[in-house]
Amino acid sequence: MAPMSTAGQEMHALVERLYPLCRSITGDGVRATLDIVGEYVPLQTHEVPTGTQVLDWTVPQEWNIRDAYIADPAGNRVVDFAASSLHVLGYSVPVSATMPLSELREHLYTLPDHPNWVPYRTSYYKPEWGFCLAQETLDALPDGEYEVRVDSTLADGHLTYAEHVVPGQVADEVIVSCHVCHPSLANDNLAGIAVATFLARALARETPYYTYRFIYAPGTIGAITWLARNAERVDRVKHGLVLACAGDSGQLTYKQSRRGDAEIDRVMRHVLASSERPHQVNEFTPYGYDERQYCSPGFDLGVGSLSRTPYAGYPEYHTSADNPDFVTPEAMADTLAVCREAFAVLDRNRSYVNLSPYGEPQLGRRGLYDSLGGRSDAKQAQLAMLWVLSLSDGEHSLLDVAERSGLPFDTVAAAADALCGAELIKA
């Protein structure tokens, strides 16, 4: 694999490339985003028609926008969609009108506490139109008649999502999910898209144990649509991770699954703690990203969420300040590294049965001690073999061994490999 610094730079370049696109829960912006991601990993794209029933929801009409602006009494565009996709209220219905500033204000959204930032706002399921702008821009607007134009369409179409599958040795799956519905917001969630994409590329160069399914879908309605369309095979999903807010400079944050004791929860806690990275582990709450859909009681999948600073935990969240300068190659590379470390543990974690359980088997006679000669961690490796033998009762996994012994997981896994080779244990 390329050095992490190189991967970080490449992920940041992908964020910059995707940033100008206007995404929403449907529409051509999502397709354009997936087309670009498809240059990095092959994608299977799905188009689900408007009106399709998906669990308790219905796929909405498709929204597309070509232009939008507010022109002042002198004809100058004081708010322009062409400058930033954040300037338009997401899913705005078309409008072409002239109105006084007093009437226009009812359709304007600002952030008074951050007067030079533009907020991100949407109205997915209620017909509305509006504009988002900096408070300082609004304060400078003179009274008078303003031309208002939103050149958009809301019509029957499709909801678009995509999947990339990395085949594994078994059909059991790990899902990695990221949302593709936000417009020009770098951390939420272009960084998540970039990390997921480069994680998929890294796994494709290996031979993973599990099959890894990457899901690129609009938030909420996209995950619900995926679940509705995969309800009969969702029992293949053994573990999962939602990636979001993956590129800011804050510490890593892992939000546990609804179960709280799913294997992915244990693996993430172990990897974050053993790496000695600054981090935080949070309990599950039914609010946040799509982990709440995958963890809903009917499915109850073991899916957690990995981010850096959690959603709404930084002032730049859902504003124009969440731009490519807000995310760093180093932070995205670190998030990617943690994902790879966690999946390496997940992929390798097994339970074994001791084939010589009556007393301690003679390791020296089998050359197992000799194989450690010259290793700086020979005593640790020897101890790992004894721990694996002791806990290979079919009920304890290698992660159990690592946690109970305090030994590094890699050392425990290497001991298990050696013992399997000597036919002293079997999976």
Side-chain angles (χ1 to χ4, degrees), residues 15-16 45 59 99 127 135 159 168 186 196 202-203 219 261 355 376 412:
V15 168
E16 290 181 313
T45 301
V59 173
M99 63 187 67
Q135 181 67 44
L159 178 146
L203 288 169
D261 61 351
L355 299 178
S376 60
V412 170

Side-chain angles (χ1 to χ4, degrees), residues 32-252:
T33 297
L34 296 176
D35 285 346
I36 291 173
V37 172
E39 297 175 17
Y40 291 78
V41 292
L43 295 178
Q44 181 181 8
T45 301
H46 305 270
E47 298 278 3
V48 185
T50 295
T52 302
Q53 188 71 25
V54 286
L55 306 181
D56 195 44
W57 295 59
T58 304
V59 173
Q61 289 189 311
E62 182 176 324
W63 181 68
N64 286 293
I65 183 167
R66 287 162 291 279
D67 192 18
Y69 61 86
I70 300 173
D72 66 14
N76 302 308
R77 290 194 179 193
V78 291
V79 179
D80 194 349
F81 170 75
S84 171
S85 61
L86 293 178
H87 276 312
V88 174
L89 177 76
Y91 254 65
S92 280
V93 298
V95 60
S96 180
T98 301
M99 63 187 67
L101 181 59
S102 58
E103 181 180 343
L104 177 59
R105 282 180 179 272
E106 298 177 8
H107 298 274
L108 302 182
Y109 302 87
T110 65
L111 295 167
D113 292 341
H114 297 282
N116 62 336
W117 294 358
V118 177
Y120 163 55
R121 299 288 185 269
T122 65
S123 183
Y124 294 143
Y125 302 106
K126 178 183 177 183
E128 183 59 273
W129 65 267
F131 287 85
C132 301
L133 65 159
Q135 181 67 44
E136 62 186 16
T137 301
L138 176 58
D139 292 342
L141 295 181
D143 287 332
E145 295 291 311
Y146 284 79
E147 180 189 358
V148 180
R149 171 94 168 145
V150 176
D151 181 11
S152 65
T153 56
L154 265 171
D156 287 353
H158 297 83
L159 178 146
T160 309
Y161 72 91
E163 297 174 285
H164 170 76
V165 177
V166 179
Q169 299 171 37
V170 298
D172 290 344
E173 292 186 359
V174 179
I175 60 171
V176 179
S177 181
C178 57
H179 59 275
V180 297
C181 52
H182 285 15
S184 296
L185 299 173
N187 199 39
D188 182 20
N189 188 39
L190 296 179
I193 294 171
V195 171
T197 301
F198 277 74
L199 178 60
R201 291 178 70 180
L203 288 169
R205 290 190 286 265
E206 301 169 358
T207 308
Y209 177 73
Y210 289 108
T211 292
Y212 286 82
R213 183 177 299 273
F214 289 79
I215 303 169
Y216 299 84
T220 305
I221 185 66
I224 285 171
T225 299
W226 186 88
L227 286 164
R229 288 164 59 90
N230 291 274
E232 294 182 358
R233 56 177 302 282
V234 79
D235 59 342
R236 294 187 192 177
V237 177
K238 304 305 179 184
H239 321 282
L241 192 64
V242 170
L243 286 173
C245 300
D248 68 87
S249 58
Q251 68 178 8
L252 285 156

